[in-house]
Amino acid sequence: MQRLRLPHAVIVPASIANLGPGLDTLGLAVGLYLRATITRVVADGRGRLICRFVDGPIGGPNRIAQGFEALGRAAPGRPSLEVDVQSDIPLRGGLGSSAAATIAGLRLRELVDGRRPGADILAAASKIEGHPDNAAAALHGGVTSCCTRQDGSIAVATWPWPKRWRVVVATPKVELKTSVSRRALPKKLPLGDAIFNMQHLGLMLSALQTGRVDDMREALRDRAHQPYREPLVPGLRRLLALRHPDVIGACLSGAGPTVAVFASRNAGGVEDLLRRAYARERVPCAVRTVTVHREGDA
């Protein structure tokens, strides 16, 4: 194990998955963070991870521990780590909290056993998560697209995010489990809808490179998952249809219930729009502007 100056923190960003048409394919890393701070290294030869959740119980599986153990047993004689965990990422909010925790566990394991190729880290995280989109963004930062190859490995590409575009996220205070949101999806998709999404995904990748607002506004349209999830997410239909001079467009973040709105300017005004929209729905909601996390940030 490498020598660490304690306390030593592993910091992993939140992520917005899908971005409209890119179901289980696209992810955008944003500046809300999970911090796993190593407070003590125990030379017991057991290679264990002991977590203390500073903000209280997480109410579900410990994905940090699952990530830590995903690559098998630690090499004999390795020390154990005592870790304090804090997170700005809402649990079960559709902002990649589980993927961030999984990546944090894998990164902690690297500190015990040594560096692993990024492809191995992503493959292990994707096996736990069931899809690679959030994990790829949390691992690489910025915008990522993923494709599972025939041999089961995952190809990742990174894309620029136009610096002038702002990201505003609204997280309504409602319970929506990812498993429930995924069950709402159809087993089969009509051919016309599949073609529609492929066309819009291609347009989005172009818009990210050119910064063309009109192209991005059109590219955010989706027929694969958002129409089926609208009944589960308060205000989603209204926000997807939102038209305003400062707004590029909106999408459901991951499985929801968070909605991401992209602004060309005046993010504060867009925040106010969202607060008013949720007030009309009579749903409490946390609204904030977040930065795009790029590789090397934090």
Side-chain angles (χ1 to χ4, degrees):
M1 176 175 171
Q2 61 181 276
R3 292 183 62 84
L4 300 175
R5 180 177 294 177
L6 300 183
H8 177 88
V10 170
I11 303 173
V12 185
S15 51
I16 297 167
N18 304 330
L19 299 180
L23 178 63
D24 288 356
T25 302
L26 294 181
L28 171 66
V30 296
L32 300 170
Y33 295 97
L34 180 147
R35 295 168 176 84
T37 303
I38 302 171
T39 58
R40 187 177 175 218
V41 178
V42 184
D44 59 2
R46 300 176 68 181
R48 296 186 306 153
L49 182 69
I50 302 109
C51 292
R52 184 175 77 94
F53 293 92
V54 176
D55 299 322
I58 57 175
N62 183 350
R63 287 293 178 87
I64 299 177
Q66 289 180 6
F68 188 82
E69 296 164 2
L71 299 174
R73 291 184 175 276
R78 297 297 186 185
S80 296
L81 305 179
E82 293 185 1
V83 177
D84 283 356
V85 180
Q86 291 179 292
S87 183
D88 305 326
I89 309 170
L91 293 174
R92 292 173 289 280
L95 284 165
S97 60
S98 66
T102 301
I103 293 294
L106 286 157
R107 287 301 195 200
L108 289 165
R109 180 57 177 276
E110 286 188 301
L111 296 176
V112 172
D113 273 357
R115 295 285 294 179
R116 295 287 190 106
D120 291 355
I121 298 295
L122 181 57
S126 300
K127 187 174 181 180
I128 294 171
E129 291 291 302
H131 42 85
D133 45 3
N134 289 107
L139 184 62
H140 294 286
V143 185
T144 56
S145 61
C146 298
C147 177
T148 303
R149 295 187 177 99
Q150 189 173 5
D151 64 4
S153 63
I154 300 168
V156 180
T158 58
W159 306 87
W161 181 262
K163 291 184 178 180
R164 295 181 62 185
W165 293 0
R166 299 292 178 258
V167 183
V168 183
V169 294
T171 305
K173 294 181 181 179
V174 297
E175 179 76 18
L176 178 57
K177 294 181 179 179
T178 299
S179 58
V180 172
S181 186
R182 289 195 76 87
R183 282 200 298 270
L185 302 182
K187 296 285 191 266
K188 296 182 179 179
L189 199 64
L191 178 60
D193 290 347
I195 292 171
F196 179 95
N197 268 49
M198 287 190 289
Q199 290 175 338
H200 284 71
L201 178 55
L203 182 62
M204 178 173 289
L205 297 180
S206 171
L208 291 173
Q209 294 178 307
T210 64
R212 289 179 60 91
V213 168
D214 288 347
D215 284 351
M216 185 63 172
R217 183 175 291 118
E218 174 63 32
L220 283 163
R221 296 174 65 199
D222 157 72
R223 292 183 184 173
H225 67 107
Q226 292 176 156
Y228 303 97
R229 286 167 162 166
E230 277 185 1
L232 303 176
V233 181
L236 178 58
R237 182 188 295 273
R238 185 190 299 271
L239 292 178
L240 292 180
L242 182 65
R243 296 293 179 266
H244 187 275
D246 298 332
V247 172
I248 300 170
C251 67
L252 185 64
S253 180
T258 294
V259 176
V261 176
F262 307 117
S264 55
R265 58 187 177 182
N266 191 19
V270 174
E271 287 186 20
D272 290 339
L273 281 175
L274 295 181
R275 290 190 182 98
R276 290 196 296 271
Y278 279 97
R280 285 193 294 270
E281 299 287 339
R282 298 184 179 181
V283 175
C285 182
V287 179
R288 50 191 151 183
T289 298
V290 293
T291 59
V292 171
H293 174 95
R294 294 174 171 84
E295 188 174 14
D297 289 353

